[in-house]
Amino acid sequence: MSAWLAANLAPIMFAAMVLFLLSGVPVAFALAACGIVFGLIGIELGLLSASLVQAMPDRVWGVMSNDTLLAIPFFTFMGLVLERSGMAEDLLDTVGRLFGTLRGGLAVAVVLVGALLAATTGVVAASVISMGLISLPIMLRAGYDARLASGVICASGTLAQIIPPSLVLIVLADQLGRPVGDMYRGALLPGLVLTGLYLLYVLIVAWLRPHKAPALPEADDHTAAERRGVWALFAVAVLGGIAASQLPALQAHTADARALFAVTAGGSVAWLIAVADRVLRLNLLPDLARRVAFVLMPPLALIFLVLGTIYLGLATPTEGGAMGATGALLMAAARRRLNRDLLQQALDRTVRLTTFVLFILIGSRVFSLTFYGIDGHLWVEHLLLGLPGGETGFLIVVMTLVFVLAFFLDFFELAFIVVPLLAPVADKLGIDLVWFGVLLAVNMQTSFMHPPFGFALFYLRSVAPKTLPTRDIYWGAVPFVGIQIVMVALVLAVPQLVTANLGSAQRTTGDSVTTDADYRRISSAPRLPAGHPDAALEAAIEKAEAMVEPIADEDVDE
């Protein structure tokens, strides 16, 4: 019995972990308990050394001292401050007035605002709840189909998980051992393509079934004239952006970095024109055009402050998050909505979410320490490398597995439990881990939309009118889950969507993710198990240090 248990301890440990999770035990404690219990069993069976337990504090210290994870509280705080400062209301009102008279225009406005909120807040709950409170009643009163309205709001809110600065991408970068900046560069274009697919679906529905997405009636000729003024201002902004993108200093940077700079420069031109029109009382611009300039420009400036500085190599993602949090406070103060209650609520939610993430990460480290020690990673590699079809078969099975697990686990749990087991296999197959991480992020985005456990559905249900049936919210999400699956297929078929801007990207220093071997070099923890993926790296480092030390001693003697 002992021999059989020793030979099959890895699959038994994995099955026990799944049972723990399905039982409803909090994820962090389930993972840690599973790691400790099976660690003791492994010591009893002679598979592990008792000194391995001494490595657990080192693992916990490795999590707490990881500078990359500092970006999580910064971006979370930024998003919560912006959400509570009323930015979503202003954006929805302005963009809704701009597109409302088009067929399906309100839904188009929700998707565009969702993309802007994703690039500034990065928090799904904030986006879904804000748009659910503001736009859902308006869309229902305008005669929109309840399922279409619900699906558009939920799907637009989940864009915060793929469009930088996404918390998912930070966590995936940590788990995959890749720079966060590279993950952001790789995810930007797929995020924009997914936004375009949402817009395309809305326009197709509005064209084929006009009764599901009717246009708002034009108020009067003055409204039409205001809209023409907006498009004229937009044309000037586009010309300004194109001119800015041709600056020689930008040509060495990636296409997405130049695009971000061009958008910000064009928005700045529009904002300066609106400011001059107001200050000099020229009255050349209609009210709607001035409103568009004043409402849309601050978010664009914040996007450039965060993403632009990262893409141009001026700041690491952690530093970009700190600047974004500062910019959010300034925007809230400019709206005269920065007060003690707002700060207290934002700080409280930030601490809760950050603590939640770190506890899951610590639990997963304890679990993986034992799992690697009993060669569980070799068992997983043997299963996945033995799949028919090689790299293609591996990707198909992994994407199907993640999609199914997303019905029961959220993206944090998937990132901390599943990704560390998949990453070594993907690396051995020669798969680019940045591309693999973005592919996983697009797939895990569906975890927010899966009926009946999707968090975005719960967020919308909490603020939707009681007259809106829950089944309509669930059915409304189904087409957008299908669009997300199409996006996964697109990233699989066209890897250049992710990798196009990585080759020439300027790498930012000081933001690479530290590995377990790096943590161990600055401590006196026990050696890693022989089967651990970092064991060979650790041995090579020690060998190099042993070769360098005698040479250094000779130099000192001389």
Side-chain angles (χ1 to χ4, degrees), residues 92 95-96 99-115 131 135-136 138-140 142 144-145 147-156 159 195 198-206 212-216 480:
L92 282 168
V95 181
F99 292 98
T101 54
L102 301 175
R103 187 182 297 175
L106 284 179
V108 169
V110 169
V111 174
L112 293 176
V113 171
M131 292 190 292
S135 63
L136 182 59
I138 298 174
M139 295 172 76
L140 294 178
Y144 272 69
D145 179 72
R147 295 183 178 182
L148 176 63
S150 302
V152 165
I153 292 172
C154 291
S156 301
L159 289 172
T195 303
Y198 289 165
L199 290 172
L200 181 62
Y201 173 75
V202 168
L203 294 175
I204 290 175
V205 170
K212 288 191 173 184
L216 295 180
F480 292 93

Side-chain angles (χ1 to χ4, degrees), residues 145-148 150-151 154 449 451-452 457-458 460-461 464-479:
D145 179 72
R147 295 183 178 182
L148 176 63
S150 302
C154 291
M449 295 281 290
L457 308 180
F458 293 154
L460 183 60
R461 176 68 278 175
K466 294 182 179 180
T467 54
L468 179 63
T470 302
R471 66 176 180 273
D472 285 347
I473 297 177
Y474 286 175
W475 279 111
V478 171

Side-chain angles (χ1 to χ4, degrees), residues 406-420:
F407 277 93
F408 311 101
L409 304 175
D410 68 17
F411 71 91
F412 279 127
E413 296 161 357
L414 288 170
F416 291 140
I417 299 172
V418 178
V419 174

Side-chain angles (χ1 to χ4, degrees), residues 184-252:
Y184 280 0
R185 293 186 189 94
L188 182 60
L189 185 55
L192 296 178
V193 171
L194 184 59
T195 303
L197 291 177
Y198 289 165
L199 290 172
L200 181 62
Y201 173 75
V202 168
L203 294 175
I204 290 175
V205 170
W207 179 52
L208 295 178
R209 299 183 178 179
H211 63 280
K212 288 191 173 184
L216 295 180
E218 190 76 73
D220 50 38
D221 294 338
H222 182 63
T223 305
E226 283 191 337
R227 194 166 289 106
R228 287 194 295 271
V230 172
W231 291 118
L233 185 63
F234 176 75
V236 174
V238 169
L239 292 175
I242 293 174
S245 67
Q246 303 304 313
L247 292 175
L250 292 177
Q251 302 313 307

Side-chain angles (χ1 to χ4, degrees), residues 180 186 236 298 372:
V180 181
V236 174
Y372 282 127

